[in-house]
Amino acid sequence: VILPHRETFQAAGAGAVGLGARDAAACSRLTPRIYGDAVDDPLDPARFAPVRYGAWWRGRKAARYLAGVIAALRAAPPGLIEIHNRPVYLPALRAAFPRTPLLLYVHNDPRSMRGLREPRRRRRVLQMADAVVCVSERVRGRLLEMGVAPSLRGRLNVILNGVDSAALRPAAEKAREVVYVG
């Protein structure tokens, strides 16, 4: 499981992507490794692998992060690579691991994501992915609205984010309050 560059994988500052990856890994029958930026107190220390950035000459920090991910994966080749919210990682990962299945997990509106915005790049990325998981029908619908070749539509799947209903219990009695944020 590859988290996006700069995704915080600890309780202080964790986002939906990191929390979702942690929860999915905890429920998995497999033992996935979660690769991400180093943090002081990872959400799941047993599964977390902090990424050591590639050399400075590899360019921007995001490119050095991806080089570090690839180096870590080469040290322990996986059976599946799950990329969260970074379609731009697919070309480098496909080149580095041509026979390993690649799963792209899309959490946000694809219209704003590098690698999916432009039709040519979108087609290329979707051809490289063995499957694409969208966190909602809305996200999948946005991808389809953008124009996905009929031959690639079968790769688009929806898996809703889970919710721990034990942690989110409504109050026994509803308070008569109105909250407005604007």
Side-chain angles (χ1 to χ4, degrees), residues 6-85:
R6 294 192 316 238
E7 176 74 21
T8 303
F9 193 68
Q10 65 182 6
V17 174
L19 293 171
R22 177 212 49 198
D23 293 346
C27 295
S28 177
R29 284 180 270 151
L30 307 172
T31 53
R33 300 281 298 155
I34 300 171
Y35 295 88
D37 277 315
V39 293
D40 294 330
D41 188 21
L43 288 170
D44 188 344
R47 289 190 172 99
F48 184 65
V51 173
R52 295 183 63 204
Y53 281 61
W56 64 269
W57 51 265
R58 292 209 178 260
R60 298 175 57 154
K61 212 169 184 181
R64 294 185 358 241
Y65 172 79
L66 184 54
V69 166
I70 290 170
L73 292 174
R74 282 190 173 134
L80 168 74
I81 299 173
E82 184 177 300
I83 303 124
H84 283 260
N85 244 20

Side-chain angles (χ1 to χ4, degrees), residues 6-180:
R6 294 192 316 238
E7 176 74 21
T8 303
F9 193 68
Q10 65 182 6
V17 174
L19 293 171
R22 177 212 49 198
D23 293 346
C27 295
S28 177
R29 284 180 270 151
L30 307 172
T31 53
R33 300 281 298 155
I34 300 171
Y35 295 88
D37 277 315
V39 293
D40 294 330
D41 188 21
L43 288 170
D44 188 344
R47 289 190 172 99
F48 184 65
V51 173
R52 295 183 63 204
Y53 281 61
W56 64 269
W57 51 265
R58 292 209 178 260
R60 298 175 57 154
K61 212 169 184 181
R64 294 185 358 241
Y65 172 79
L66 184 54
V69 166
I70 290 170
L73 292 174
R74 282 190 173 134
L80 168 74
I81 299 173
E82 184 177 300
I83 303 124
H84 283 260
N85 244 20
R86 290 297 182 269
V88 294
Y89 292 177
L90 268 87
L93 289 164
R94 176 54 70 212
F97 303 95
R99 290 181 183 81
T100 304
L102 299 179
L103 174 81
L104 175 62
Y105 223 104
V106 182
H107 295 263
N108 298 89
D109 188 340
R111 295 176 305 172
S112 64
M113 299 178 84
R114 282 187 20 232
L116 292 178
R117 287 188 298 236
E118 306 85 18
R120 192 181 94 249
R121 292 183 80 190
R122 179 173 50 255
R123 186 172 35 259
R124 182 174 177 232
V125 162
L126 294 178
Q127 286 172 339
M128 288 181 191
D130 293 284
V132 178
V133 172
C134 302
V135 298
S136 68
E137 280 294 342
R138 174 93 170 150
V139 170
R140 183 178 184 273
R142 289 285 191 203
L143 260 173
L144 292 172
E145 287 171 11
M146 294 167 66
V148 174
S151 62
L152 299 175
R153 290 181 183 174
R155 296 181 188 191
L156 304 180
N157 305 281
V158 175
I159 298 178
L160 302 174
N161 286 330
V163 174
D164 182 358
S165 59
L168 300 173
R169 296 212 179 262
E173 188 175 306
K174 290 185 177 181
R176 293 182 181 232
E177 297 177 13
V178 176
V179 177
Y180 173 79

